Amino acid sequence: MLSFVGKRLGSLVVVLFFLTLLVFTLGKVADSDPVRTYVGVNASVEAVEAAREELGLDDPIPVQFASFVGGAVQGDFGVSLASKRPISDELSTRLPATLELAGWALTLTVLIGVSLASLYSRPGRIGAVLRFVFFSAASAPSFLIAMLSVLVFYKWLGGMLPAAGRSSYGPYDDGTGFYVIDGILHASPTYTWDAIQHLLLPALAASVGAGVALARVLADGISSSLSSPWARTARALGEREGTIVRRHALRNASSPALSLLAVQAGFMVSSLVVVEQVFSWNGLGSYLSSAIGVGDFPAIAAVCLILGAVYVVLNTLVDVALAAVDPRVRLS
Amino acid sequence: MNRRTTFALAGAAALALGLSACSSAEETLPGQSAGSSDAADLDTTLDMGLSSDISAPDPSSAYSGSEMNLVLAAYEGLLKYANGTEDAEIVPSLATDWTVSEDGLTYTFTLRDGVTFADGTPFTSAAVQPSVDRMLAEGASGPGYMVGGIASIDTPSDTEVVFTLEAPNDAFLDYLASPFGLKMISPDALAAHGDDAEWFAANSAGTGPFQYAKFDEGVSYELTANESYWGDTGGYESIEFHILDSTNTIQLQLESGELDGYIGSANKPLFDALSANEALNAYTYPSMMAPVVYLNPSHDILADAETRLALLSGVDWDGIVQSVYGDLGTTSAGVFPSTMVDSSLNQAGITYDADALAALAEGGLAGESITISYPSYVPGGQDIADNLAAQLNTVGIKAESVGLESSAYWSSVFDPEKAPDITLMSIFPDAAHPDTWARLLYSSEGGLNLFYPEIDGLDAVLDEAVETGDHDLYGDVTSLVAGSGDYYTVADLKVSAAFQASITGAESASYPLLGITFDFTQLSPGQ
């Protein structure tokens, strides 16, 4: 297993290099002039040209690429053209925000998937109605779910859950950036509960579609497992139905479900871009969204690198988990 | 997972929660000492919503709209524009009095006595030169030009400073009064952090009524009252600017009372929605922001000035302005914002001719198609471009409007091959002097002279006007610009804001140049 993980992490370097090359090429091919973002709309022609030179935008593209990669290797992504702050500083606060939201969204995805799996395969009209509802929820775009949830839980239910931000209190100066963990570390139930409340709606919006998809795969897997010969044997030996589902069928069905979860995690990253905007969540998604709008290329490239790394690591973890739950899977 | 493991995990979770609950009596929240509560100061914190993040609020280089509210709350210049007025009237700030020599080269200021910076350093004339030096260095690509023409600075006493200019500049007082203009910075802070832009992005060292406190970048920016302020800091002990990416969220939080106020642009749908809420007071403020339409004379179909002028006169601008801006806009009569230049000198003379477009459709623009672009961030930009395209299409001139993100927009308008036939920009001047508007838009080297048309003699008139201070010459500028058909100033805009109904003082808190910059000392929580 260690060798497998080592190889995967080794491949991360290659993936990130080509990802950087791709993002850089797209940035240069696209019609984009970010200098006004940096100097201000009213800047004189001389100021614009001076800034272009200062930012190295007049350099040959290979030189710009080498300069960016050289800095990125040392963790220096340069300065954001929009905010004029060091990008690495901005990422250090935004990465934990996105990871915390993604972690909660993935957890909710699993909870929704496992909870709905049994309902999904219900026979008869009730099952058909439930499947229709699940299909509708899964096909609704995450921004729609996000906006609806704000309307319901913030506006109509009198601010039952917050509509924006990560906390009512801001970050702890010595915090990890993961607000729920920070609340626990500082022994503050008020802060912890507040952070959880802020997490619920965005995590729900990001997880509904993935959760229903997971439920479908799990339900199909459980259904086919329960009709297999070994299930009949287990029943004949007097095993209770619930035990057969929990101890045997669910485990058999979890292999394709985990594979799906890895794919959904990738999609979730893209849906977080929208969800973070709706909830003013100060993460990588909202950062990327605003950076694209103004052509803040160094910020775009840095976020893509980080998200690429997260995606590869996540897939590696899922592969390891697959081998753990299904002995037929061998890591190689 | 077997039953034993499940019980173990549940027990651990219960223990963690129990421990947290046990220690709740001594819990500490960010920004508080143990056991304290923030309940007491809730009413004296002004919570403002911002619809996008701000750039670093550095007093020497800040050069766009939103961050100026932070800069102006923490720093002061020698002069300022009076708040709550229609016209931009220059009034004292850190200078109580000033004189200008007859040759227009020497400006002598008497400084306010008894003022200290927030870091405790006394404000004297010794602060002027280092503040100018830092603005020249850090603001070189932005507002630094406003102090660029100073030949020397003399300080005969602690309360007197004398600027000698390299050449007469009628706009110099406006430069000093502009929100983007020179701000006084503590010499001690400059000595310690002068070239450290990161320090000035998060810390303040000015004489203003507030000072930068806790910045959670991208989320919120808190300012607290400057206890040593020489004047009245108003009714709030702190201001917190919350970054909310969506105006829908801002509207919801205003309606729920979570936010106290929001200063917007000329956004009619949002203004209408907020005006309809009885718990809120919605306000409009004059500004010198204006949407300007540029016609591209380097494209064959618009190369002829008569065609351009016919097109401009054939558009029902009143209808467009009314439908896009409603009460927030008035159709412009001139080329300058209406409060910048006397109306007798600011008449473009383009009157609506309902038959002009039809004539063009059968004449100079027969069979042609026109592209109208706009940057997506311009308030009402899409609506104006769509309306304009619709009017052209109605008479048979094929036209389409194209919205572009800002970086794509800037890439296209300056490229002769990709430039559109017509484009729309929202303009705000750096100061209330007509030279800043005309030089930015119309001079041959203007930063926002988008298609680079050159109008014969215009630069010379501008130079003469700013050197002599003869404002009648801006009448000549109006004639030259309007006659070219290269530009059309669409409307004079008001910006809008909404505050909780209990908050007082908002009606006169806005500075007139941008409208979106406020004197927060005017506001009080009310009863």
Side-chain angles (χ1 to χ4, degrees), chain B residues 106-474:
Chain B
T106 307
Y107 289 72
T108 304
F109 295 89
T110 304
L111 304 184
R112 195 176 293 278
D113 203 9
V115 175
T116 56
F117 290 98
D119 64 0
T121 310
F123 168 66
T124 67
S125 58
V128 178
Q129 182 72 59
S131 298
V132 169
D133 291 343
R134 186 169 191 278
M135 189 168 182
L136 284 170
E138 299 296 327
S141 62
Y145 78 91
M146 292 183 173
V147 289
I150 298 171
S152 67
I153 297 172
D154 297 311
T155 52
S157 71
D158 280 355
T159 56
E160 194 175 15
V161 62
V162 181
F163 291 89
T164 305
L165 305 189
E166 292 167 350
N169 186 343
D170 185 55
F172 186 64
L173 290 177
D174 281 277
Y175 286 172
L176 293 179
S178 162
F180 306 112
L182 176 67
K183 304 290 179 299
M184 292 298 114
I185 306 171
S186 160
D188 286 359
L190 284 172
H193 312 285
D195 58 356
D196 184 355
E198 279 188 48
W199 191 88
F200 279 96
N203 301 276
S204 60
T207 61
F210 293 88
Q211 53 188 328
Y212 300 171
K214 189 173 183 182
F215 282 11
D216 184 7
E217 283 159 1
V219 179
S220 63
Y221 300 84
E222 184 187 6
L223 284 74
T224 52
N226 174 8
E227 300 296 336
S228 60
Y229 184 53
W230 57 270
D232 181 5
T233 58
Y236 285 99
E237 292 175 7
S238 62
I239 309 171
E240 199 160 340
F241 293 93
H242 302 271
I243 309 301
L244 299 163
D245 294 328
S246 150
T247 49
N248 290 333
T249 308
I250 288 173
Q251 185 181 339
L252 284 172
Q253 293 204 349
L254 275 171
E255 288 170 353
S256 73
E258 200 168 340
L259 283 179
D260 293 318
Y262 169 65
I263 305 166
S265 54
N267 184 334
K268 181 175 179 286
L270 182 60
F271 176 70
D272 290 344
L274 296 176
S275 301
N277 190 318
E278 289 181 358
L280 302 172
N281 281 343
Y283 302 90
T284 60
Y285 305 99
S287 81
M288 293 191 183
M289 282 196 279
V292 173
V293 164
Y294 296 71
L295 287 80
N296 194 339
S298 61
H299 283 194
D300 289 344
I301 56 171
L302 294 174
D304 180 23
E306 281 188 22
T307 303
R308 297 194 296 272
L309 288 167
L311 192 153
L312 289 174
S313 64
V315 175
D316 177 11
W317 294 109
D318 282 337
I320 290 178
V321 171
Q322 184 54 41
S323 75
V324 175
Y325 296 113
D327 292 341
L328 297 176
T330 310
T331 311
S332 177
V335 302
F336 294 97
S338 63
T339 53
M340 184 178 263
V341 173
D342 188 274
S343 66
S344 64
L345 303 170
N346 189 27
Q347 295 295 322
I350 295 175
T351 50
Y352 178 47
D353 176 358
D355 300 323
L357 286 187
L360 279 177
E362 293 173 2
L365 296 181
E368 302 287 357
S369 61
I370 287 180
T371 305
I372 306 160
S373 79
Y374 61 92
S376 53
Y377 64 83
V378 167
Q382 180 178 358
D383 294 333
I384 293 178
D386 286 351
N387 265 290
L388 185 53
Q391 291 193 29
L392 293 171
N393 280 312
T394 301
V395 298
I397 301 169
K398 192 176 170 188
E400 66 166 345
S401 68
V402 181
L404 297 168
E405 294 290 355
S406 67
S407 61
Y409 179 81
W410 293 117
S411 163
S412 70
V413 288
F414 290 122
D415 185 335
E417 290 183 9
K418 291 184 288 186
D421 303 303
I422 299 174
T423 194
L424 173 79
M425 259 300 289
S426 178
I427 311 289
F428 60 86
D430 286 354
H433 194 281
D435 183 71
T436 60
W437 177 272
R439 210 166 281 277
L440 179 69
L441 270 83
Y442 311 132
S443 81
S444 59
E445 295 183 348
L448 288 178
N449 190 0
L450 297 185
F451 298 136
Y452 296 128
E454 287 196 30
I455 301 172
D456 283 344
L458 182 78
D459 287 357
V461 177
L462 286 176
D463 289 344
E464 186 183 348
V466 82
E467 277 188 28
T468 61
D470 180 0
H471 279 229
D472 287 347
L473 289 170
Y474 293 110

Side-chain angles (χ1 to χ4, degrees), chain A residues 94-107:
Chain A
R94 289 175 179 265
L95 180 59
T98 293
L99 289 180
E100 184 171 49
L101 177 56
W104 276 72
L106 273 177
T107 306

Side-chain angles (χ1 to χ4, degrees), chain B residues 35-50:
Chain B
S36 71
S37 164
D38 63 349
D41 61 5
L42 275 181
D43 289 339
T44 54
T45 296
L46 180 70
D47 289 293
M48 298 293 301
L50 291 175

Side-chain angles (χ1 to χ4, degrees), chain A residues 46 101 106 130 168 245 299 305:
Chain A
E46 295 81 21
L101 177 56
L106 273 177
L130 287 172
S168 307
V245 170
L305 276 179

